[in-house]
Every structure is written in structure tokens, then in C-alpha cells.
């Protein structure tokens, strides 16, 4: 048996350490550890609840905006505010383009290099690459000269000997299976996506002032003046700019991202049988199309699929969320045995790991800066796959059609979804569905404005003197990486408790008091390892979850003094 | 001059970017740096022969917001070329290798280019309890910063967390997060605060180095004066409304729809030094005040404590109580209407004035009650 350490796990947000035990060419056990803590929940105490979203948004700069949304929803819930229709739609548009842009960046810039061999692309035939491109998509940038230019550029780059971020990659690893032409196609789109993302996210600048970290949220609505007759407000002209960017976003998703994912998946169908994980899937649901407090109006539904049973969708009750610190570097005042609901949550850091620098973490007790959230005592997987499965099982017509189409194209059944490849495909399918909705939502906004409704915020509770002495609220959001909840307690106009339970805490959770692994740990068990010194397969499964650690922080635990520890990467 | 092998000039030729687009980029850079237009050709000549500079980008207690900002580098056809004049050898969020292979990329560059690579640091550096609040590869982030920044040509601290500890260093944070200057004092450090920084300022800082062989002039806190030398309030497109006493009083009210001044909604522009109104964000698309929300002062020292509550109006805005003279206001107005066009001599005069004012503005004592300031209730006296 060999123990492998990969630290840092790169191409994620945040700091993650993965340790696995492997024998006979496969992972037999796994621990994951987030190794950074900032203390955001403690910083928020005593602050003005109306300020909380500005702080909370900084939980993550990659999935920017989503924590701002969860925060204003939590405070609005506490103060019993209902935002106007314009604010609801603008929030949907900002969140929607976040999904689209973030998922594309994840595929090309954070995940693709686990499947795509950049060096192999150097030997591709541009003519054959153009043939391949035209066979899978009508996207216009598919000429022989286009692909030749990309290959020449790559050649010029490598000829300098300074490989920059591509130095020391696992190039030539036997687990890479794309043809040189497919590799060149993917490299071309890696570069194209870099340009594309920069442009389409301007939607957030138009509606939010800037990206990352847009700045037009307020408790009660949005701080953006709308007035068709005022050039300094959100006018029809600016909305038409949004419309054009939505069009560019959708074209790229449907003509580049989705076809590329399907093409790459065709080379790696065995990954539909790897990386299943715990098999419980949760979605809070999001994108309200009507009353934002009523989940029945959400475009993506709320629900839970347990034990891979697509025959039933269970309801979600926020009261059943609780966090354990049995294996986390925190202390609860009443001892670590009992999990706490976030309203009763505590953030008292209590590092119990080895002094720095260390070779190996201690696995027997506490081993992570991540808490362990459980739903009704059960670990959950959250994210695009969970959302698509909950929607699929709920009979969502568009999701069913899109998922069935993809399964048919790959020649696999629904069970293939419970896998590393399933996560990659679900993310792309979801992106396409949301990209298609953005235009509709923009039309809804324009239609609403035409009725003369220019309201952007409910100001009835802006003045803190109107607040009750004590209030509790929660805000649920579907972030690109999964279900996100903020819980706030307000006393005498100030925050007395603030807790975030974020997607990567669900997925990256350490073992709980009962010893059950979190989603990442469970998904790694059984992952093949062709060359333990270059564990690209581990990266494939971990990256399929799109880990985002800054807000989540940590998982881990090993057996002391066991076999060889090999630090690899 | 014929561009040399492996230089930006050669890459431009290879990528069919027109000379005109390149020169336009150089003019924009000269403007961003507040240099007279005649410097544009000099920038172009320098970039023509520039070799790729190795960069090690470290992330500590960060949210990757500056990394995302970096990805939005905004000059369309030339942006990725600017990235290509760098050799980003280590950047956890972007690099292909993981684990020891990633660490090797970092140590290779530190070893092969002593004193010749640029370190970029994003995120705070926690010093409490031996650094256990941020460990990478089993090492404290602090020890990595000491090693990498200690051997660098210069360090660029991007974002407010790397500047002064930022969010994890705010009141209530238990990790004793600090900025780079506190870890490697005496080293060349360029601070680009902001939450996140504006990538245009990062690009301009690097272009300045490639052009002149030195980093741009900085104030006493290491902030380039081209970006942080002027009050935001003096460059703001809503300034005329401030002067006219036309204020937004509620979200969505008539003043809000008409683009009036956000001072009464808590805008921190009158105490914030930054160039957001002129360079804006995302390919010059917008900035918070343009979109309708006040400035939160995110470039300023300890802004999470000093500038919050964010919706409480400032009690002492310049223009009413401190020493901003009429001709300075007039100059700022010219600056606002002409966008990036800067009249060199006058601008540097104004910059020198503002730099002094800036240092005064930030010398207010830090602190406030533990766990953050009290909620606003808007208890401060009316000024306007
Ligand atoms: S107070 Fe704010 S909105 Fe008003 S002019 Fe100054 S910077 Fe602009």
C-alpha cells in the first residue's frame, strides 16, 4: 500500500491537500484537507446587516456574486422583505451569466488539462482538426488557417523554453486519450474561451458596476437606477448591449463548449463508471420566475435525490441542516459531539494539526478547516450534477430532454450520470439551458419596464429603527458549485451570528462523527492510478466537482505511522 | 527596429495584430500612467524588444478575485499578448501541474532567475500561531512569501488583502493577517490595493517596468501615484450633482434614476484615492458609482473597518471641510470629462497635492470596537 499526498491541488480556488492510499493501481481510501482559514464569520459579527453582503461576497472571487446574493436574501428573510420584480430579474441575469461564464472557465481553464494533452497538440494536422471541428459544430472559427495559427502560436511559445503555467504538466501520460487533432481543437478553444469570458461577463459590469465582485446589491433590491428616459440609468440601449452579450454567450456555449464536452466525453466513456461518490444529491433550487420566496416558482427545482433513486424527490427543509466539527479544527462550546444548526453555529478555530512545516497530517482526530455539514444526518453531493438529477427526477421537461439527448449521443444510460464524467456533462448541459433562459429573462425585464414599473428596491426596512429587536434569517442560493446557504441572526440592529454553509463544504466535508466520508473522499475511492507519481486521474475526479476552497476550507485524516508516504504531483 | 526573437514585437507580427492596434494600446498605457502622449512610441519601442519576464503569483488568504480580475485584462486583441510577455511560471489557479510538480515550477524559477523575476502576491498572510491558518504543501504561506519575495526583482501586492491584511485582517478576524510589506520590509513592493485591484493598473505597472526599467513612482505606502494619486470624488461623473446639492435619497428614487450624487447613500468617494472613474472595469464598461451604488473605499487602508458602515454618509467630505481648492476641483472636472486624457504638467501638480492629502487622509487612527463597528443608524451630523 502506498500513501500519496497531493498538495497543493491546483486549478481550483483556494488551498486543498489530498491524501490517498492506493494499492493495485487504484485508490483505496482518501482524505481531503482545506488548509486555509480566514475567519469571515467572525469578522461579520457586530456589523450592520446591510453591509454583510459586501463582506460575504469576498468569500469567493471565482464564484463571485453568489455570496452577495445569499447574504441579501438572508437579511431580507430576517426582515421579511420582498424584492420588486425588476430586482428579482436583474439578480437572475447577474447570477445566470455567472453560471455560464464560470462553467466555461471551469471546463477550459481549470479542468481541461486533465483530459487534454497540450504537447500532443503540437503534432496535430490543422486540416484534420478543421474537419473534426466542422463535424461537431457550425462554429465559424474552424478554418485550416485558424488551427494552423493556433498550432504555430503554441510552437512559438514552447520554442522559447519558458512554458509558464504549462511547465511540469503530466504531458505524455498514458491516461491522455485524445488524438492530436482533438487536443489542438481543445487548446484553440482554451484560448478562445479566455477572450470570450472576458467579454460576456461585461453583463455584470453593466448591471453591477464591475466584475469580479459586482457592487449593486442592497438589502431590499438592487442599487441600480432604471429609467428608459434617463441616460445615466439602465436604459433600453444598455439593455440591448446586455442582449448582444447574451447572444454571444449562448452561441459559444452551444457551438463550442457543449460540442467539445461531448467530443471529449466520447474518448473517455469509461469515466462514466468512475467517481460516483456518495449518491445523495441536494439542490436548493434557484432562479425565481415569480415570488422569490416560493420555491415552486424556481426555474431549477428544489429537492433531494437519495441513494441514486431517480424515482423520488424529497423536500428540503433548512432546519435539517447541521454542521459537525468532530473532525474539524474548531471547538463547540458544548463539546464536539452534537452538530449545530447554523443559527446556533459557532466558529471557534482550534487548530489541532502538526506544527508547520509538516510532511503528513494526522488523520485520527481533527484534520480540516472545513466543518462537516449534514442534511438530516446524511452527507450530500451538491453542484450541477445534483441540480440536473433533482430536476430530471422532478420531471423538468427541458432538463429531461437535454439530459436524454446527451445520454443518447454517448450511447449510455442514466446510471452513467453518477460519475466523474456525469458531473462534466451535467455542468455543460446546465450551462446550455441557462444560457437559453437569459434572453427570456431580459425580455421579462423589458416587458416589466414597459408597464411603467421602475421600482428596484423595497425601502420600507432600510432604516434600522424599523427592525425588530431580534430577527433570524436564511438565504438559499444555487451557486455554480452547488447549494449555498447563509444564516444570520440580528440583535439590536447588529449581526450577532453569521454562518455560511457553502457548496465545497458539503462536497469537501471531512468524515463525520460516524466516520462517513464526504463526497470528494468517497468519489476518489476506486479511482484508477496508472502512474502513482503522476496522479492525473485523481485530479480528474476532484476537478469534476469544481472545488472552491476559500469559503469552504478543509477535509482530512490519516492513520499514523503507516506505510510509505509519497508526496507527488 | 526589427523586433527580436521571442519578444512581444515578434509575437505581434505572428498574431497578425495590426501595428495600429498595438500603438493604440501603447497610447492607452501612456494615458493610464499619466504620461504625455509622446511617451507612447517609447513604450512601443520598449515592448518591441521586451523579453518575457518570469512571474511567480502566490495566493494566500485570498478569494482569487484578483486572479479573476487578471483574467479580465481588457485590451481586446492585445490583452493576451501582454500576458505573453510574462512567463507565469507559478499560479495555483491556472497552472497545469499539482503537488510537488507545481512546487518544482516555483523553485525552478526562484533558482534560475535570482533577482530577476516578479513576485505577485494575492491574499493576506496570517502570522498567528506559526502560520497554521494558511499552509501550502505543508509549509506556512509566510515562509513561502519570505522565500519568493525575498529573492524577487520586485513584488506586486495585488488587492487589499496583500496590501494590509484586508478582510482576514479586519476587526474580529483571529488569524493576524498582514500584507506583504509587513513580511519583507525593505524589499521593492508595489501595492495595488482594491477589492479586487483594477487589472488595468497591474498591466500599466508592468508596462512601465518594461519600458523604463523601473517601476512607477509610488507614494509613502507603495501605491503608484498614477493610480492612487487622485481622489475618486474629484474624477467622478456625478460630481456636478454633488456640487449642485442633488442627491440620491433612496434606491430607485428620482435622483437615483437621474444619476445624482450618492454621497447621502454612504458613498466613500470623497475619502478614497483611486482611478476607478477614469479607467473603470471590464474593458472600461462601468464602475460601481456609474452603475448606481456608492463607493465603499476598497483601495483605502483598513477599509473594512475604516470605511464601514458602508451606507453611513461621511461626515467630512472634501469640498466642504478640507483643503481642496477651486482650481483643483476645476482640474478634476476636466479630467472627468476627458476621460483618460491627461494634461501632464497640471496633472502631476495635482497628483503631488493629492498625494499629500492622501497621506493625511490615511493617517487617521485605525481601530474601532472589537468585532466591527456599530450599525449605522445614520447618526453622523448632516453636512450638506
Ligand atoms: S460622493 Fe460619490 S457619487 Fe457623489 S460625486 Fe463624490 S464620488 Fe461621486
Amino acid at each position: 500500500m502506498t500513501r500519496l499526498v497531493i498538495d497543493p491541488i491546483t486549478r481550483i480556488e483556494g488551498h486543498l491537500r489530498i491524501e490517498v492510499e492506493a494499492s493495485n493501481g487504484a485508490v483505496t481510501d482518501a482524505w481531503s484537507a482545506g488548509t486555509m482559514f480566514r475567519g469571515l464569520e467572525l469578522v461579520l459579527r457586530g456589523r450592520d446587516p446591510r453591509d454583510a453582503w459586501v463582506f460575504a461576497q469576498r468569500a469567493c472571487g471565482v464564484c463571485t456574486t453568489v455570496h452577495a446574493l445569499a447574504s441579501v436574501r438572508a437579511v431580507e428573510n430576517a426582515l421579511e422583505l420582498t424584492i420588486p420584480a425588476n430586482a428579482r430579474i436583474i439578480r437572475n441575469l447577474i447570477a445566470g451569466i455567472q453560471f455560464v461564464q464560470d462553467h466555461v472557465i471551469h471546463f477550459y481553464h481549470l479542468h481541461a488539462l486533465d483530459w487534454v494533452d497540450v504537447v500532443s497538440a503540437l503534432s496535430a494536422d490543422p486540416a484534420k482538426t478543421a474537419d473534426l471541428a466542422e463535424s461537431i459544430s457550425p462554429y465559424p472559427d474552424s478554418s485550416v488557417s485558424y488551427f494552423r495559427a493556433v498550432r504555430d502560436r503554441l510552437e512559438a511559445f514552447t520554442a522559447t523554453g519558458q512554458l509558464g503555467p504549462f511547465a511540469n504538466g503530466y504531458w505524455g501520460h498514458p491516461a491522455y486519450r485524445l488524438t492530436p487533432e482533438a487536443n489542438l481543437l481543445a487548446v484553440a478553444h482554451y484560448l478562445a474561451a479566455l477572450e470570450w469570458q472576458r467579454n460576456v461577463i461585461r453583463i455584470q459590469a453593466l448591471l453591477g458596476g464591475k466584475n469580479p465582485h459586482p457592487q449593486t446589491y442592497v438589502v431590499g433590491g438592487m442599487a441600480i437606477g432604471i429609467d428608459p428616459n434617463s441616460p445615466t440609468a439602465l436604459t433600453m440601449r444598455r439593455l440591448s448591449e446586455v442582449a448582444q452579450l447574451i447572444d454571444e454567450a449562448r452561441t459559444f456555449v452551444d457551438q463550442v463548449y457543449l460540442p467539445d464536452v461531448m467530443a471529449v466525453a466520447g474518448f473517455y466513456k469509461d469515466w462514466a463508471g468512475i467517481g460516483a461518490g456518495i449518491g445523495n444529491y441536494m439542490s436548493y433550487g434557484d432562479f425565481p420566475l415569480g415570488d422569490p420566496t416560493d420555491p415552486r416558482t424556481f426555474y431549477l427545482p428544489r429537492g433531494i435525490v437519495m441513494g441514486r433513486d431517480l424515482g423520488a424527490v424529497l423536500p428540503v427543509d433548512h432546519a435539517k441542516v447541521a454542521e459537525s466539527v468532530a473532525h474539524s479544527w474548531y471547538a463547540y462550546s458544548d463539546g464536539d459531539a452534537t452538530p449545530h444548526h447554523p443559527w446556533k453555529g459557532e466558529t471557534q478555530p482550534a487548530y489541532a494539526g502538526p506544527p508547520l512545516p509538516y510532511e503528513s497530517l494526522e488523520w485520527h482526530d481533527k484534520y480540516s478547516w472545513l466543518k462537516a455539514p449534514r442534511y438530516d444526518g446524511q452527507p450530500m453531493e451538491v453542484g450541477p450534477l445534483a441540480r440536473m438529477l433533482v430536476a430530471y427526477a422532478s420531471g423538468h421537461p427541458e432538463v429531461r430532454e437535454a439530459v436524454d439527448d446527451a445520454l443518447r449521443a454517448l450511447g449510455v444510460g442514466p446510471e452513467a450520470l453518477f460519475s466523474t464524467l456525469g458531473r462534466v456533462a451535467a455542468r455543460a448541459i446546465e450551462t446550455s439551458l441557462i444560457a437559453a433562459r437569459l434572453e427570456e429573462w431580459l425580455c421579462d425585464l423589458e416587458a416589466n419596464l414597459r408597464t411603467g414599473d421602475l421600482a428596484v428596491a423595497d425601502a420600507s426596512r432600510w432604516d434600522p429603527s424599523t427592525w425588530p429587536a431580534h430577527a433570524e434569517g436564511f438565504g438559499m442560493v444555487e451557486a455554480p458549485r452547488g447549494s449555498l446557504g447563509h444564516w444570520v441572526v440580528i440583535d439590536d440592529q447588529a449581526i450577532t451570528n453569521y454562518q455560511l454553509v457553502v457548496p465545497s463544504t458539503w462536497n469537501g466535508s471531512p468524515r463525520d462523527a460516524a466516520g462517513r466520508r464526504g463526497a470528494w473522499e468517497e468519489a476518489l475511492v476506486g479511482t484508477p492510478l496508472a502512474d502513482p507519481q503522476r496522479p492525473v486521474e485523481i485530479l480528474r475526479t476532484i476537478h469534476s466537482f469544481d472545488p472552491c476552497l476559500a469559503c469552504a476550507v478543509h477535509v482530512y485524516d490519516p492513520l499514523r505511522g503507516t506505510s510509505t508516504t509519497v508526496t507527488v504531483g | 527596429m526589427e523586433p527580436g526573437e521571442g519578444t512581444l514585437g515578434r509575437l505581434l507580427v505572428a498574431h497578425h495584430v495590426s501595428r495600429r492596434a498595438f500603438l493604440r494600446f501603447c497610447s492607452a498605457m501612456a494615458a493610464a500612467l499619466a504620461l504625455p502622449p509622446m511617451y507612447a512610441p517609447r513604450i512601443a519601442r520598449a515592448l518591441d524588444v521586451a523579453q518575457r519576464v518570469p512571474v511567480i503569483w502566490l495566493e494566500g488568504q485570498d478569494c482569487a478575485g484578483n486572479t479573476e480580475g487578471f483574467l479580465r485584462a481588457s485590451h481586446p486583441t492585445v490583452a493576451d499578448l501582454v500576458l505573453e510577455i510574462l512567463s507565469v511560471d507559478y499560479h495555483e489557479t491556472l497552472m497545469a501541474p499539482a503537488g510537488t510538480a507545481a512546487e518544482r515550477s516555483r523553485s525552478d524559477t526562484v533558482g534560475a532567475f535570482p533577482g530577476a523575476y516578479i513576485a505577485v502576491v494575492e491574499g493576506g498572510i496570517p502570522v498567528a500561531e506559526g502560520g497554521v491558518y494558511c499552509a501550502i504543501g505543508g509549509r506556512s504561506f509566510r515562509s513561502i512569501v519570505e522565500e519568493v519575495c525575498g529573492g524577487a526583482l520586485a513584488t506586486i501586492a495585488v488587492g487589499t488583502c496583500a496590501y494590509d491584511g484586508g478582510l482576514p485582517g479586519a476587526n474580529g478576524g483571529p488569524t493576524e493577517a498582514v500584507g506583504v510589506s509587513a513580511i519583507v520590509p525593505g524589499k521593492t513592493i508595489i501595492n495595488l490595493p482594491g477589492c479586487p485591484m483594477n487589472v488595468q493598473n497591474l498591466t500599466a505597472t508592468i508596462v512601465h517596468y518594461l519600458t523604463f526599467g523601473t517601476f512607477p513612482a509610488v507614494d509613502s505606502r507603495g501605491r503608484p501615484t498614477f493610480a492612487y494619486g487622485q481622489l475618486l470624488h474629484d474624477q467622478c461623473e456625478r460630481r456636478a450633482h454633488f456640487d449642485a446639492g442633488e442627491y440620491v435619497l433612496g434606491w430607485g428614487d428620482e435622483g437615483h434614476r437621474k444619476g445624482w450624487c450618492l454621497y447621502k447613500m454612504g458613498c466613500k468617494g470623497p475619502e478614497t484615492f483611486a482611478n476607478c472613474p477614469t479607467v473603470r472595469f471590464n474593458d472600461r464598461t462601468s464602475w460601481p458609482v456609474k452603475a448606481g451604488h456608492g463607493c465603499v473605499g476598497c483601495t483605502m487602508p483598513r477599509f473594512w473597518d475604516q470605511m464601514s458602515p458602508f451606507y453611513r454618509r461621511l461626515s467630512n467630505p472634501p469640498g466642504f471641510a478640507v483643503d481642496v481648492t477651486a482650481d483643483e476641483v476645476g482640474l478634476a472636472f476636466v479630467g472627468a470629462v476627458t476621460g483618460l486624457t491627461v494634461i501632464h504638467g497640471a496633472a502631476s501638480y495635482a497628483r503631488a497635492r493629492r498625494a499629500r492629502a492622501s497621506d493625511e487622509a490615511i493617517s487617521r487612527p485605525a481601530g474601532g470596537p472589537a468585532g466591527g463597528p456599530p450599525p449605522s443608524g445614520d447618526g453622523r451630523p448632516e453636512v450638506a
Side-chain angles (χ1 to χ4, degrees), chain A residues 6-8 10-15 17 35-40 42-43 45-48 50-51 53-55 58-62 101 105 110 113 153 157 160 162 164-165 167-171 194-195 197-198 201-202 205-206 208-213 215-218 223-227 230 232-233 238 349 351 356-358 369 454 456-457 462 493-494 539 550 567-569, chain B residues 15 52 54 59-65 68-69 71-74 76 80-81 84 87-90 92-105 108 130-138 140 167-168 170-175 195-196 251-252 256-259 281-283 285-288 290-296 304-305 308-311 371-376:
Chain A
I6 314 174
D7 180 4
T10 51
R11 278 181 282 124
I12 63 166
E13 196 292 318
H15 302 289
R17 176 186 179 99
T35 55
M36 188 268 274
F37 170 78
R38 285 186 295 170
L40 179 57
L42 298 172
V43 168
R45 288 205 188 140
R47 311 258 176 192
D48 185 332
R50 296 172 302 172
D51 284 358
W53 71 266
V54 186
F55 289 80
R58 273 66 185 179
C60 187
V62 175
Q101 186 243 19
I105 289 184
L110 304 184
L113 300 181
R153 185 177 190 182
F157 179 82
T160 65
Q162 286 178 288
N168 296 320
Y170 304 132
W171 318 127
L194 215 44
E195 282 296 301
Q197 58 86 24
R198 181 183 54 70
I201 205 62
R202 289 175 54 238
L206 288 163
K210 65 186 176 112
N211 163 282
H213 298 333
Q215 196 165 309
T216 51
Y217 291 92
V218 283
I224 176 164
I226 316 183
D227 193 338
S230 169
T232 54
R238 259 194 245 177
Y351 182 72
L356 301 177
Y358 52 72
W369 282 121
L454 302 180
V456 289
W462 185 249
Q493 307 177 7
L539 295 183
T567 309
V568 298
Chain B
H15 300 171
R52 290 164 71 213
E59 292 171 85
Q61 285 176 302
D62 71 321
C63 72
E68 288 287 332
L71 292 181
R72 311 289 184 269
S74 72
D80 48 353
L81 304 176
E84 282 183 45
S87 180
V88 183
D89 296 344
Y90 183 89
E92 279 186 61
T93 306
L94 300 177
M95 67 197 303
T100 48
E103 310 253 86
R104 201 179 324 130
S105 290
D108 283 355
V132 299
Y133 294 109
C134 186
I136 297 163
S140 71
L167 182 62
N171 287 339
T175 67
C195 192
W251 306 117
H256 197 215
R257 295 202 303 273
K258 287 188 169 160
F281 294 86
N282 304 95
D283 214 358
T285 300
S286 193
W287 68 291
K290 181 172 159 68
H293 190 283
C295 159
V296 297
W304 292 107
D305 299 321
S308 62
F310 296 125
Y311 299 101
S376 83

